[in-house]
Amino acid sequence: MTRPPEILAIDGGGTRCRVACEVNGQRFQFESGSCNVTSDLDGSVTQIMRGLNGLAAEIGAEEADLLNIPCYLGLAGVTGAEKAQEVADRLPFQHVRIEEDRAPAARGALGRQDGALIHCGTGSFQAFQVDGHARFAGGWGARLGDEASAQWVGRLALSVTLEVQDGLHPASDLTRGLMDHFGNATEIVAFAATADAAAFGRLAPQVTKAAAEADPLAQAIMQRGADRLAFALAHLGWTSDMPVMLTGGIAPSFAPYFDAPLQAALTPANGTPIDGAISLAHDFRKEITG
């Protein structure tokens, strides 16, 4: 390391935690494990510090050398200022800003331009940005929201399969396949009783595949998700003259179910959440250094 980095940026999500910096114009990055400060604060702090230690080794520094550098963290599970302060009190950084992980995702995808973001991975949320200020909807987790996420799609497919058992819909290839996989309704209920979001999400590819093959029940699930996403964007303030970016593994599968104006607005994302975290870290540094 010829000189220390100007900023540190951390993007911590339910799947992984990325810690990054830039030295002499070159980006360095280290990835550690799951980081959700609401469901597992102790584990999240451990993963953040593991990532910091790994990054220090990457750039030839000691961990202590990085603690006085302005650090921006976008973390899953930050539900407000009180939670952000609780996390900050557990970390050794001298200059730190902590926000929810939706903020760097929006900055990464949209940059500083006006527009909207639809993110649908294991979880989901929507963002709307004007003049550099972002508003959000969703992202409240599997129990209370995350509509149109992979876990939501997988969970709804099992609900529809049980409705078929009740005679409320004709069976389809999707529901027959799920019933063959689990064996019977009792096993579906037993699975759902203990399954986490990731386990439900692993069923989503069966739904998207069936929908692409014109399975009516799968298409109805995808249409329901697409309608919910469009509803959220409209209420956030999106208009058809503004670009919309899709991020997350299942998000592109909803595109055929949007109406024509929304389909026409779809635009490739500018970057990733860690790109957004780095950009926000530079903003934070400018604020504290003048």
Side-chain angles (χ1 to χ4, degrees):
M1 183 177 70
T2 59
R3 63 185 176 90
E6 293 184 341
I7 55 93
L8 292 173
I10 299 175
D11 168 47
T15 302
R16 54 198 167 192
C17 178
R18 294 185 177 97
V19 183
C21 69
E22 293 175 342
V23 179
N24 301 326
Q26 181 180 358
R27 181 183 298 187
F28 293 86
Q29 183 172 309
F30 187 88
E31 188 174 296
S32 57
S34 175
C35 183
N36 185 306
V37 298
T38 289
S39 61
D40 185 5
L41 178 56
D42 290 340
S44 296
V45 170
T46 296
Q47 293 303 325
I48 291 167
M49 297 309 298
R50 177 175 166 237
L52 183 68
N53 185 267
L55 182 67
E58 286 279 332
I59 64 175
E62 296 295 327
E63 182 182 292
D65 297 335
L66 305 182
L67 300 183
N68 198 44
I69 295 169
C71 182
Y72 173 88
L73 299 92
L75 304 177
V78 174
T79 52
E82 184 176 342
K83 175 58 73 173
Q85 187 60 55
E86 181 183 6
V87 178
D89 291 342
R90 298 284 299 275
L91 296 171
F93 302 110
Q94 298 301 306
H95 307 285
V96 62
R97 171 170 291 168
I98 299 175
E99 295 183 310
E100 56 177 301
D101 62 338
R102 297 183 299 185
R107 173 63 68 86
L110 295 166
R112 299 180 187 275
Q113 74 182 101
D114 294 350
L117 168 65
I118 292 173
H119 175 82
C120 298
T122 303
S124 69
F125 71 89
Q126 299 81 52
F128 174 69
Q129 181 169 278
V130 174
D131 296 331
H133 300 287
R135 297 174 56 203
F136 299 96
W140 296 113
R143 292 182 181 274
L144 299 176
D146 283 355
E147 294 86 356
S149 66
Q151 70 82 19
W152 180 91
V153 166
R155 178 167 50 83
L156 191 55
L158 293 184
S159 295
V160 169
T161 300
L162 294 179
E163 290 178 351
V164 168
Q165 287 294 105
D166 291 336
L168 304 183
H169 310 286
S172 72
D173 288 344
L174 172 65
T175 62
R176 282 188 287 268
L178 288 170
M179 188 59 72
D180 288 345
H181 175 76
F182 286 98
N184 54 52
T186 299
E187 291 302 320
I188 290 177
V189 172
F191 166 82
T194 59
D196 60 10
F200 280 117
R202 284 191 287 271
L203 301 174
Q206 297 180 53
V207 183
T208 56
K209 180 176 184 294
E213 296 170 351
D215 183 287
L217 295 181
Q219 289 181 327
I221 291 170
M222 298 303 293
Q223 187 65 63
R224 181 172 168 183
D227 290 346
R228 179 60 178 77
L229 296 170
F231 168 83
L233 285 195
H235 282 267
L236 284 172
W238 176 79
T239 56
S240 59
D241 59 333
M242 305 175 74
V244 178
M245 283 76 167
L246 299 178
T247 62
I250 197 173
S253 297
F254 289 107
Y257 300 91
F258 295 142
D259 63 18
L262 183 49
Q263 287 191 32
L266 296 178
T267 306
N270 291 305
T272 66
I274 193 61
D275 296 324
I278 288 172
S279 176
L280 289 163
H282 282 294
D283 288 354
F284 177 50
R285 177 180 178 274
K286 288 177 183 176
E287 288 181 25
I288 64 176
T289 62

